[in-house]
Amino acid sequence: MSFPFICLLLLGLLCGCEQAPVEQAADKSISTVPAPGGTLIQGTIGEPSNLIPAIASDGASSAINGLVYNGLVRYDKDLNIEGELAHSWEISDDGRTITFHLREGVRWHDGTPFTSADVLFTYQLLVDPDTPTAYAERYMQVSKAETPDAHTFRVHYEKPLASALISWGVGIHPRHLLEGQDVTASPLSRSPVGTGPYRFVEWKTGEKIELKANPDYFEGEPFIQRVVYRFIPDPSTMFLELQSGGLDMMDLTPIQYARQTETPAFKRNFNKYRYPAFGYTYLGFNLRRPLFQDKRVRQAFAHAINKQEIVDGVLLGLGQIATGPYKPGTWPYNPDVRRYAYDPEQARTLLAEAGWRDSDGDGVVEKDGRDFSFVLMTNQGNDSRIKAGEIIQRRLADIGIDVKLRVVEWASFLKEFINPGDFDALIMGWNIPMDPDGYNVWHSSKTRPGELNFINFQNAEVDELLEKGRRTLDQEQRKAYYDRFQEILAEEQPYVFLFVPDALPAVAARVHGIEPAPAGITHNFIRWYVPQALRKYTR
């Protein structure tokens, strides 16, 4: 099972060092011998956009794809790189050539043998200009890809690329089903065929996706035989479903975790977990809009927003303030960047310096005859973002800015607003990848429709730092580059970095085998099991 790479929304790629079930239900009379069988039903807010990994960039799609496809490598439970479809690899002394040795005997879900030709095809698909992928950039760095034999794949780079090895954690695509096809019109987008631990069964639009265990999986057949993802856009409804037994697993909201799960019944039926998520939430400005092109305006926003108020009031303390795109405590994180204390008066001063003043006394600042008014968008189903938006709306009103908060269904949010860049400002979240290379999100070359720098941030020094950071394999030197990168972001405020939330999953207590680790709780999902006596479903 591969960890997804960069993906929107998903805060489920998790890392923490002190993870344990907060409440552990146990019945020693139940046999806990792992055995195949059982069903796990998960709740998810968003419906996937596409089940072809190369052209899917949302978290809902990545969650499914992570069970259906494999990469050549992946992160293990301690966040070290280990082989997946590759059992081993060699890196040349100059760091410019990687030779992967692939597992033999692996088959696609339709029975076709997996070979190095599939890996080569995946590379060709990712760099094909006709493939609408947000992930091409790292594969464009490959100068040559070759397949010396059916189980060897070799790539050469003109220059060293620090994230080269882990970039091959991308889901490998089936050549025999996609070669010569229009990938955007492929039936695999809704009926995927992978090599992963679970096979696709069905997708009922607006309702669910169902997977079944792959009996031929090269790491052994998963114990849980059936996995169902139910699409439930409303977290409150999802929680009611969890409590009534209609779900076995969901990510709790802070209020659900802190105040609604302390009942004896919940403690008896579920285990809940808490650890820092590998993700952050931000307020991003569309820098194509003149309203946000003055740095002083963005800095005024940073002073007007009380981040601690959001952490305390929205997350109930289950998270921490964010100051940049890296997780506090990790090696790329720079704790010394400029911080913006909650200071409405300083915010008003900065707005006035930028020419925004309330000249007519109506409570809203204006400039050149225009009121400072804009639409702040976020996605449906994420209470934390919506509540943060409401707090931000009030705090900006305090300094004379009129904010209209708009909540949009996830798929429409992506298709109609994010991808075409048609928004004023938004509240969103990013996963924080293990490697700090932020090229796809921050480089000025990544601003075209469908790419990830959708706020149109452009800074020549940041471009240079990102390029240098990815070209050296020396971690100390990389940190120096990324420290400066964070200093610039803190000064420029293209995002107001809001918070790093805690991950708060709850899983039915009848599910055994969960091992919390720095990588989260799903790293060993294929080894989760439900003892025979605790199974609820007949299939």
Side-chain angles (χ1 to χ4, degrees):
M1 171 168 61
S2 299
F3 281 115
F5 281 4
I6 293 176
C7 52
L8 298 173
L9 179 65
L10 181 69
L11 297 180
L13 184 57
L14 308 167
C15 176
C17 297
E18 298 178 0
Q19 304 174 29
V22 174
E23 301 294 345
Q24 179 71 49
D27 183 346
K28 294 182 179 179
S29 67
I30 300 295
S31 170
T32 57
V33 177
T39 294
L40 183 85
I41 302 178
Q42 300 190 44
T44 179
I45 290 172
E47 186 162 355
S49 64
N50 197 300
L51 297 182
I52 295 177
I55 55 176
S57 60
D58 59 295
S61 300
S62 295
I64 306 293
N65 289 337
L67 293 178
V68 174
Y69 296 90
N70 295 110
L72 298 187
V73 296
R74 65 186 173 193
Y75 287 107
D76 69 9
K77 66 178 183 179
D78 296 315
L79 302 176
N80 302 307
I81 297 176
E82 66 176 9
E84 194 169 37
L85 285 171
H87 62 74
S88 62
W89 59 87
E90 296 136 17
I91 301 176
S92 63
D93 291 342
D94 64 3
R96 299 183 185 183
T97 299
I98 307 175
T99 302
F100 292 98
H101 302 287
L102 311 182
R103 292 177 185 263
E104 298 185 26
V106 176
R107 292 183 178 273
W108 293 95
H109 294 160
D110 63 2
T112 303
F114 158 76
T115 72
S116 58
D118 295 303
V119 188
L120 181 62
F121 170 74
T122 299
Y123 157 70
Q124 293 167 336
L125 180 68
L126 287 163
V127 299
D128 186 336
D130 292 330
T131 302
T133 179
Y135 305 126
E137 204 284 327
R138 286 196 288 189
Y139 306 97
M140 298 292 286
Q141 307 304 311
V142 173
S143 59
K144 182 180 179 183
E146 56 185 337
T147 53
D149 60 51
H151 296 98
T152 305
F153 177 68
R154 182 174 296 132
V155 281
H156 306 271
Y157 296 82
E158 286 290 339
K159 303 175 184 176
L161 181 66
S163 60
L165 178 59
I166 193 56
S167 75
W168 293 101
V170 66
I172 302 301
H173 297 61
R175 186 189 71 157
H176 65 290
L177 296 175
L178 287 170
E179 188 172 43
Q181 308 294 314
D182 177 358
V183 69
T184 63
S186 170
L188 268 63
S189 66
R190 289 186 61 87
S191 182
V193 174
T195 56
Y198 284 88
R199 297 178 177 178
F200 175 81
V201 175
E202 68 172 342
W203 180 346
K204 291 187 176 180
T205 301
E207 182 181 341
K208 68 174 183 177
I209 284 178
E210 183 173 333
L211 309 175
K212 68 177 181 182
N214 176 6
D216 302 321
Y217 188 51
F218 56 82
E219 292 185 306
E221 181 179 9
F223 288 132
I224 293 177
Q225 292 292 291
R226 180 169 166 257
V227 177
V228 179
Y229 287 84
R230 289 184 57 196
F231 315 135
I232 305 175
D234 177 59
S236 297
T237 303
M238 192 185 298
F239 187 57
L240 290 173
E241 285 281 348
L242 184 77
Q243 291 176 296
S244 67
L247 295 175
D248 300 309
M249 181 176 177
M250 68 172 283
D251 290 323
L252 300 172
T253 65
I255 195 168
Q256 289 166 352
Y257 180 93
R259 298 176 184 172
Q260 299 174 2
T261 53
E262 292 301 304
T263 64
F266 193 92
K267 291 180 178 180
R268 185 169 59 251
N269 293 321
F270 297 95
N271 295 320
K272 58 181 184 178
Y273 302 81
R274 176 190 173 188
Y275 38 87
F278 236 65
Y280 65 87
T281 297
Y282 64 89
L283 164 64
F285 305 102
N286 188 342
L287 300 178
R288 295 179 181 86
R289 304 280 164 95
L291 205 56
F292 302 112
Q293 289 177 349
D294 190 321
K295 179 175 69 176
R296 293 169 296 187
V297 169
R298 304 192 297 271
Q299 291 175 336
F301 274 58
H303 275 301
I305 296 169
N306 188 341
K307 296 180 184 179
Q308 192 60 52
E309 177 186 29
I310 294 173
V311 170
D312 293 341
V314 175
L315 302 183
L316 304 180
L318 300 171
Q320 54 192 311
I321 288 173
T323 58
Y326 302 127
K327 182 180 173 183
T330 58
W331 71 263
Y333 177 72
N334 182 355
D336 300 320
V337 300
R338 177 177 176 179
R339 294 176 183 246
Y340 295 79
Y342 173 57
D343 188 344
E345 196 54 45
Q346 179 62 18
R348 293 186 190 94
T349 299
L350 286 165
L351 284 179
E353 290 176 357
W356 293 94
R357 295 180 176 83
D358 182 12
S359 303
D360 55 12
D362 67 351
V364 178
V365 297
E366 64 271 351
K367 179 181 178 181
D368 300 329
R370 177 188 170 173
D371 287 347
F372 200 141
S373 177
F374 71 96
V375 176
L376 176 59
M377 303 183 72
T378 194
N379 62 287
Q380 186 183 55
N382 191 311
D383 270 2
S384 295
R385 293 179 190 170
I386 296 169
K387 290 175 180 174
E390 291 169 348
I391 291 175
I392 290 170
Q393 185 180 39
R394 290 197 296 272
R395 291 295 166 243
L396 293 180
D398 291 342
I399 62 169
I401 295 176
D402 175 47
V403 178
K404 296 175 175 59
L405 184 62
R406 183 177 179 187
V407 180
V408 182
E409 184 272 330
W410 175 244
S412 298
F413 191 38
L414 279 181
K415 182 178 179 181
E416 299 175 22
F417 301 100
I418 300 291
N419 290 338
D422 186 15
F423 62 90
D424 291 334
L426 43 74
I427 298 176
M428 290 276 288
W430 283 117
N431 279 342
I432 303 174
M434 310 306 168
D435 189 276
D437 184 357
Y439 195 97
N440 279 326
V441 176
W442 296 104
H443 197 275
S444 60
S445 66
K446 297 300 175 183
T447 58
R448 292 173 297 184
E451 294 189 317
L452 303 184
N453 185 358
F454 43 74
I455 65 165
N456 197 43
F457 177 66
Q458 301 193 40
N459 183 291
E461 186 178 359
V462 163
D463 287 352
E464 182 180 355
L465 291 165
L466 291 172
E467 180 65 21
K468 288 181 176 177
R470 65 190 345 220
R471 295 302 180 193
T472 178
L473 306 182
D474 183 303
Q475 183 168 305
E476 185 175 349
Q477 184 61 61
R478 294 189 80 194
K479 178 165 176 55
Y481 294 139
Y482 291 121
D483 278 355
R484 175 59 185 150
F485 163 56
Q486 292 167 81
E487 289 173 0
I488 295 171
L489 292 185
E491 176 66 22
E492 294 293 327
Q493 291 291 300
Y495 290 174
V496 176
F497 296 93
L498 297 174
F499 56 80
V500 175
D502 286 344
L504 307 169
V507 186
R510 62 191 178 82
V511 178
H512 290 226
I514 299 172
E515 297 179 1
I521 64 169
T522 59
H523 62 89
N524 69 332
F525 186 76
I526 66 170
R527 299 276 73 95
W528 291 13
Y529 65 98
V530 181
Q532 178 76 41
L534 299 179
R535 291 176 190 165
K536 292 170 54 180
Y537 307 97
T538 56
R539 67 185 180 102

